[in-house]
Amino acid sequence: MLSSLAAAWLVASSAERRRAVGFWVFLLSNVLWVAWGVYTAGWALVVLQLGLAAMNLRGLRKNDADAPSS
């Protein structure tokens, strides 16, 4: 839960680097939630986290696309 909250804080940053780190932390939290869901047989949680991970990957890709080329 703490990793999810930290990720949300980072993703809301105006700094591109912090947003990128936030998406990676979100992906870590997805992995942790999936592990917990498998451990507790919470299959709806597992499916939810897989969907959220897909959205996090999309956000990471869009964040990279918004980066200025140098």
Side-chain angles (χ1 to χ4, degrees), residues 2-66:
L2 292 177
S3 62
S4 297
L5 291 173
W9 180 269
L10 290 166
V11 166
S13 175
S14 59
E16 176 195 337
R17 177 88 172 124
R18 283 191 195 136
R19 283 194 314 270
V21 169
F23 284 115
W24 285 108
V25 175
F26 258 134
L27 288 171
L28 170 65
S29 76
N30 294 134
V31 170
L32 294 171
W33 281 115
V34 166
W36 179 255
V38 169
Y39 176 74
T40 61
W43 306 117
L45 177 62
V46 171
V47 172
L48 171 64
Q49 292 305 314
L50 293 174
L52 291 173
M55 284 191 266
N56 289 330
L57 289 170
R58 179 178 179 256
L60 185 62
R61 189 171 48 242
K62 288 184 77 154
N63 189 58
D64 287 345
D66 290 343

